[in-house]
Amino acid sequence: MSIAENIKSYNQKLDGTDCKLVAVSKTKPNELLQEAYDAGQRIFGENKVQELVEKSETLPKDIQWHMIGHLQRNKVKYIAPFVSLIHSIDSPRLLKEVQKRAAQNERTIDVLLQVFIAEEETKFGFDKEELTSFLSSDEFKEMTNVRVIGVMGMATNTSDQNQVRKEFASLKSLFEELKSSFNALDNVALSEISMGMSGDYQIAVEEGSTMIRVGSAIFGARNYGTM
């Protein structure tokens, strides 16, 4: 199917849910992103800062750019002027840098807190205790140029659907706990759960995802040789 048909298919699958499609466009050339844009897609997710910056400069200005990959603190300054949402805040130090750069750009940047829910040591993120401790701290409450609007998590890369479901359910449960405890803070407005990719998005939607991150199922297999 074409890119336009793939996007239409996903939107039909998400119809009637609270879930949005984030088109993961990493390593893809601008002309393919333009095809997706022409088909009505407005939210694009990138893993690498350089690619995100370059694409944002040439593609339509009403695109919402999401940073979904691991973000290094020294790269935040490059995306702070325009990024719509950062999915991958995995430490207090990173959020502190986002706060600093957002203030310099006179912006409030929306972020998701990445939570470690998988059984793989390669994944990044907070655990529950770290997260509640951080959100309770005076340091966090003073971050007036960031707004925590939700959480993000990646399930274990396994064919065991029960395992994946359990991990997604744990993230949803944590989200509800955080919402009841911290939503009254000025810089917290919890509404988003970013979980689910091409292989496990159906389970994620059933477990309460509001954003699925889909790349290869829209654009075709990734081409790492071009970037």
Side-chain angles (χ1 to χ4, degrees):
M1 292 199 296
S2 69
I3 288 172
E5 289 170 331
N6 289 337
I7 288 172
K8 183 179 178 182
S9 173
Y10 270 95
N11 283 329
Q12 286 174 339
K13 292 169 185 172
L14 296 178
D15 190 39
T17 74
D18 295 324
C19 195
K20 299 176 281 292
L21 174 64
V22 179
V24 179
S25 46
K26 57 186 178 182
T27 79
K28 297 303 176 185
N30 284 359
E31 51 264 33
L32 297 189
L33 275 72
Q34 187 66 50
E35 276 188 52
Y37 178 89
D38 292 342
Q41 183 64 25
R42 291 296 180 271
I43 306 175
F44 290 84
E46 288 286 335
N47 274 56
K48 293 191 173 5
V49 166
Q50 183 180 348
E51 229 181 308
L52 182 57
V53 171
E54 289 172 354
K55 288 174 177 176
S56 73
E57 289 171 349
T58 53
L59 285 158
K61 297 306 177 191
D62 61 336
I63 287 176
Q64 298 175 42
W65 292 105
H66 289 197
M67 178 66 194
I68 63 172
H70 181 60
L71 178 59
Q72 296 172 299
R73 295 196 312 279
N74 63 354
K75 301 278 183 71
V76 173
K77 60 188 175 187
Y78 300 113
I79 62 173
F82 68 90
V83 70
S84 291
L85 180 62
I86 300 173
H87 288 230
S88 47
I89 299 296
D90 58 8
S91 71
R93 292 176 72 198
L94 177 57
L95 190 60
K96 191 174 181 179
E97 182 67 20
V98 175
Q99 159 64 31
K100 173 184 169 183
R101 299 301 180 180
Q104 289 175 350
N105 285 276
E106 299 181 340
R107 295 188 69 205
T108 298
I109 296 178
D110 286 344
V111 301
L112 305 179
L113 300 174
Q114 184 170 350
V115 182
F116 186 88
I117 59 172
E119 290 189 351
E120 299 163 30
E121 289 302 321
T122 54
K123 300 284 196 291
F124 296 96
F126 291 91
D127 65 27
K128 179 179 176 180
E129 288 72 25
E130 289 172 330
L131 205 48
T132 52
S133 174
F134 175 51
L135 293 177
S136 301
S137 69
D138 290 337
E139 180 184 29
F140 172 69
K141 292 168 188 169
E142 291 166 3
M143 294 182 180
T144 56
N145 290 86
V146 295
R147 185 172 60 158
V148 174
I149 66 167
V151 294
M152 184 269 262
M154 289 185 278
T156 303
N157 185 14
T158 176
S159 58
D160 184 349
Q161 293 195 349
N162 290 330
Q163 169 86 13
V164 171
R165 186 177 296 279
K166 183 177 74 172
E167 290 169 358
F168 285 153
S170 74
L171 186 61
K172 168 70 169 176
S173 176
L174 177 59
F175 169 84
E176 295 297 346
E177 285 184 47
L178 296 175
K179 194 172 180 180
S180 64
S181 298
F182 299 105
N183 234 29
L185 297 179
D186 291 340
N187 55 350
V188 177
L190 292 169
S191 60
E192 305 291 351
I193 305 174
S194 174
M195 61 184 185
M197 299 186 283
S198 297
D200 56 19
Y201 78 90
Q202 289 168 305
I203 298 172
V205 172
E206 290 168 8
E207 295 301 329
S209 176
T210 68
M211 289 182 184
I212 57 170
R213 310 178 300 272
V214 179
S216 54
I218 293 174
F219 295 105
R222 296 174 196 155
N223 181 2
Y224 290 109
T226 61
M227 289 269 176

